[in-house]
Amino acid sequence: MSGPRRAAPGGRARVLLGLLLALLMLLPFVVNPYLLSVLTLILYLAYVGQAWNVMMGFAGQLSLGHSLYVGLGAYVSAALFVHYGVPPALGFLAAILVALVFGAAIGFLAFRFGVSGVYFALLTIAFAEFTRIGFDHFDWVGGSGGFFLKVAQRDYNDLVNLRGSPEMFYYLLLAMTAGCFLLCHRLMQSRIGFYWLAIREDQEAAQAVGIDVFRYKMLAVMLSAALASLAGVFTAFFNNNLFPFQIFGIEKSIEIILGPIIGGLGTLFGPILGAFVLTVLAEGLRGTMEALGVVLPGVKQVFYGICLLFVIMFLPHGIWPSLRRRLGLDSDGGR
Amino acid sequence: MALLEVRGLSKSFRGLKAVQDVSFDVTEGEILALIGPNGAGKTTCFNLIAGVFAPDQGSVRLGGMDITGLRPDQVCRAGIGRTFQIVKPFQQLSVEENVIVGALNRLHDVGAARERAREILEMLGLAAKRALPAASLTLPERKCLEVARAMATGPKLLLLDEVMAGLRPTETDHMVGVFRRLNEETGLTILLIEHVMRAVMALAGRIVVLHHGETIAEGGPGEVVRDPAVLECYLGEEAL
């Protein structure tokens, strides 16, 4: 139960978020390269989780093929860079544009013709899969053999061309994650956010109070796709190699959605918390197995499954809603 | 002046004529009740007005503007608010947020919508529950919330689909009081479907009776309950 609305929890949430951001900004100065790579992975999953959460958590539209937008963003920006020398600082616009076109196409097909629920989720998988197969045979970007960016180790950080140190990538991702959080926060305090929640809860009732359901669902899908494509741009230039089966694979889509589900669907902080918990546990498990000298392929997936099982059994709304209550942050800052 | 003009409305579902050539007017400021036995076509009639289905024939005009075949959200923006026979609250949202969503139909700023929502909740006696999730309300409270949310959209005409069903007599009397006050104080025009005759007689200035999708009687409450055709098909001989 949320009590009467007070100003205090919102203020406290803001202070805590500020402290967290400060901590994340300072960490690269003290951690070793391995921990920095783990932190980067956490932020990456937090970012894509937030992007996916816009569609599912806020507007209630289940996408199981979100790797589609990540992959498109990655390939578009990388291809422009490799073939035409367009820097990602410009290429990201093209990445967004392509993701928007795909998002709009899927949304239009589904929402115009009344495809919803499970069938909508299947449609998103289908799009991701046939795009993967398409890229497997798309020789201009290497086909199934992979597409590679030249790894040029430089002494300075070049944000325009996204060439530089792991620290640069970490801070870029931190900025993206914080920006995405602020954007979601603003949206959820606006008419758009209220309309998305109404659509998630009951479409017919939403329509009866004057909401153009088609338009707001399209908005959610397209925004979510655009945000996810930026994660793709990051991936391409961070990893310097792209393989269709890796980036468009259903495993990637599942990885995107686990964080928000475990952290708390439809909450602002859930995707970030979920990414943290999941990555820390998975890395901890990997470290322990390594130390014990045990080699078990696929153990990470099994572990993800167990995490999901526990959260669904004991915290069906995710970790964040109950943690939020315990921290006394309820009724604001959270959603 | 007629606020709502329904003319020759017809709708069939796979050959079943749910509504046949139904016409009536709702005058500005009045409360009109639509009654009739189960399956008479009352809810279909509502759904045709509210834009859930497009009619096969006929037209619906609101304040002189043709709204036939518009989508539900367009009909709402044109000025018709509705409640559902089976209530549809936004379960995980708080009572206040439910009403805010309604108020955003006219007010684009969330702060202003929140203020409006609070006024409406105050008026309907739900203010004490405003921070609770809608899922935690009792049935009478949910019905009340349904009305609050529809009211918040700023309608010229309110369509109430069996809001009294499932309420105890004292609760019915409370709701009757609420609608009376809304009607008298704000001049809100109301079209209601109702089986609870106690509420119909207390509220309605006029009654339209449907049977097998057709209008069989229309008039003041006093006349309609004495109409032999109405007695036969709906109220029963012993009603008098």
Side-chain angles (χ1 to χ4, degrees):
Chain A
M1 295 301 121
S2 50
R5 266 162 212 273
R6 290 154 296 166
R12 207 150 63 217
R14 227 160 269 153
V15 170
L16 286 176
L17 275 173
L19 286 175
L20 178 66
L21 186 64
L23 178 71
L24 288 173
M25 282 169 75
L26 291 174
L27 275 176
F29 293 103
V30 291
V31 298
N32 62 33
Y34 164 69
L35 279 179
L36 187 70
S37 75
V38 174
L39 284 171
T40 307
L41 181 61
I42 291 175
L43 284 180
Y44 176 78
L45 288 177
Y47 177 82
V48 280
Q50 287 189 95
W52 178 80
N53 194 41
V54 167
M55 210 169 133
M56 177 59 191
F58 300 153
Q61 307 304 310
L62 175 58
S63 165
L64 291 178
H66 242 52
S67 61
L68 168 66
Y69 308 117
V70 176
L72 287 171
Y75 269 103
V76 169
S77 57
L80 284 176
F81 183 64
V82 170
H83 290 306
Y84 304 112
V86 179
L90 272 178
F92 86 94
L93 293 171
I96 288 179
L97 195 71
V98 172
L100 282 177
V101 168
F102 271 70
I106 295 175
F108 184 85
L109 274 176
F111 306 145
R112 227 348 137 229
F113 300 105
V115 178
S116 60
V118 179
Y119 300 100
F120 176 71
L122 283 177
L123 187 71
T124 61
I125 295 178
F127 264 86
E129 279 296 290
F130 77 60
T131 309
R132 175 181 68 79
I133 294 165
F135 270 86
D136 267 340
H137 300 91
F138 194 4
D139 292 331
W140 190 57
V141 287
S144 57
F147 191 54
F148 303 91
L149 280 81
K150 222 179 266 159
V151 185
Q153 211 53 56
R154 297 194 184 152
D155 332 326
Y156 62 94
N157 291 325
D158 180 356
L159 259 179
V160 174
N161 288 308
L162 283 187
R163 307 279 80 188
S165 66
E167 282 83 7
M168 182 198 78
F169 282 100
Y170 173 84
Y171 282 114
L172 172 66
L173 203 47
L174 183 58
M176 283 165 66
T177 309
C180 191
F181 183 88
L182 285 177
L183 175 70
C184 290
H185 176 71
R186 284 291 292 274
L187 282 171
M188 294 320 281
Q189 307 247 306
S190 76
R191 193 178 191 226
I192 295 171
F194 276 87
Y195 276 11
W196 279 342
L197 293 178
I199 290 167
R200 180 189 78 188
E201 294 295 311
D202 193 312
Q203 259 191 71
E204 218 183 323
Q207 237 188 342
V209 292
I211 301 174
D212 186 341
V213 170
F214 177 77
R215 195 168 133 202
Y216 281 90
K217 286 203 298 197
M218 286 295 279
L219 184 64
V221 174
M222 289 169 73
L223 178 64
S224 186
L227 289 171
S229 73
L230 291 182
V233 177
F234 176 89
T235 304
F237 288 82
F238 184 65
N239 292 335
N240 296 311
N241 59 66
L242 294 169
F243 295 94
F245 74 94
Q246 267 185 1
I247 199 150
F248 288 110
I250 184 119
E251 301 83 7
K252 285 289 164 202
S253 293
I254 300 296
E255 203 172 68
I256 291 170
I257 78 178
L258 282 176
I261 292 176
I262 287 174
L265 256 187
T267 63
L268 284 176
F269 196 64
I272 298 170
L273 182 67
F276 177 79
V277 170
L278 213 56
T279 311
V280 167
L281 289 178
E283 284 300 312
L285 178 77
R286 206 177 58 89
T288 318
M289 302 257 301
E290 250 174 36
L292 295 172
V294 188
V295 184
L296 275 178
V299 72
K300 191 168 149 193
Q301 277 68 26
V302 173
F303 176 72
Y304 279 166
I306 293 170
C307 284
L308 198 59
L309 192 72
F310 269 88
V311 166
I312 289 169
M313 277 173 72
F314 299 110
L315 296 166
H317 295 289
I319 301 171
W320 179 235
S322 64
L323 185 64
R324 179 175 61 190
R325 238 189 331 272
R326 234 155 269 175
L327 290 173
L329 297 174
D330 236 355
S331 83
D332 200 34
R335 182 160 51 218
Chain B
M1 194 201 110
L3 176 64
L4 184 79
E5 296 165 63
V6 174
R7 289 288 170 274
L9 221 50
S10 299
K11 178 79 186 174
S12 303
F13 295 105
R14 300 185 182 184
L16 175 79
K17 289 172 180 159
V19 171
Q20 271 185 82
D21 196 23
V22 168
S23 301
F24 59 86
D25 282 351
V26 185
T27 313
E28 196 150 1
E30 83 166 329
I31 301 182
L32 177 71
L34 204 56
I35 66 169
N38 286 328
K42 304 180 299 289
T43 295
T44 304
C45 207
F46 255 36
N47 283 336
L48 292 174
I49 296 170
V52 177
F53 318 119
D56 298 336
Q57 262 149 41
S59 69
V60 182
R61 297 170 80 83
L62 180 74
M65 190 178 80
D66 190 6
I67 59 163
T68 321
L70 291 186
R71 291 194 313 263
D73 53 295
Q74 295 169 320
V75 171
C76 176
R77 265 172 275 150
I80 296 183
R82 72 163 299 178
T83 66
F84 290 92
Q85 189 175 349
I86 297 158
V87 291
K88 291 177 179 291
F90 303 129
Q91 300 267 18
Q92 287 192 58
L93 304 194
S94 73
V95 167
E96 182 175 278
E97 286 165 340
N98 266 267
V99 185
I100 289 173
V101 172
L104 286 168
N105 186 44
R106 298 271 179 244
L107 304 162
H108 292 203
D109 173 64
V110 172
R114 174 163 289 150
E115 255 171 58
R116 180 83 192 110
R118 287 189 180 170
E119 284 167 25
I120 288 169
L121 288 172
E122 198 71 54
M123 190 160 66
L124 291 177
L126 264 181
K129 310 261 176 182
R130 69 185 157 87
L132 295 180
S136 71
L137 297 184
T138 63
L139 181 67
E141 287 166 349
R142 282 177 205 213
K143 297 232 163 187
C144 211
L145 175 60
E146 190 88 359
V147 174
R149 196 175 59 191
M151 280 296 301
T153 64
K156 295 182 204 134
L157 171 70
L158 189 59
L159 304 183
L160 301 173
D161 196 350
E162 291 201 35
V163 276
M164 309 294 179
L167 300 192
R168 292 192 214 95
T170 50
E171 291 158 353
T172 304
D173 290 343
H174 168 74
M175 288 294 257
V176 165
V178 167
F179 294 131
R180 261 243 179 85
R181 225 176 53 232
L182 280 177
N183 177 250
E184 279 162 14
E185 286 172 14
T186 65
L188 180 71
T189 312
I190 299 174
L191 172 60
L192 61 124
I193 292 178
E194 203 47 79
H195 279 301
V196 181
M197 286 310 284
R198 180 191 176 92
V200 172
M201 297 307 281
L203 276 174
R206 255 171 357 110
I207 298 178
V208 170
V209 188
L210 289 186
H211 186 45
H212 291 318
E214 290 174 284
T215 317
I216 58 164
E218 186 178 342
E223 313 162 40
V224 165
V225 296
R226 279 180 192 78
D227 190 302
V230 177
L231 288 174
E232 194 193 329
C233 79
Y234 182 50
L235 295 175
E237 296 289 354
E238 68 276 22
L240 274 180

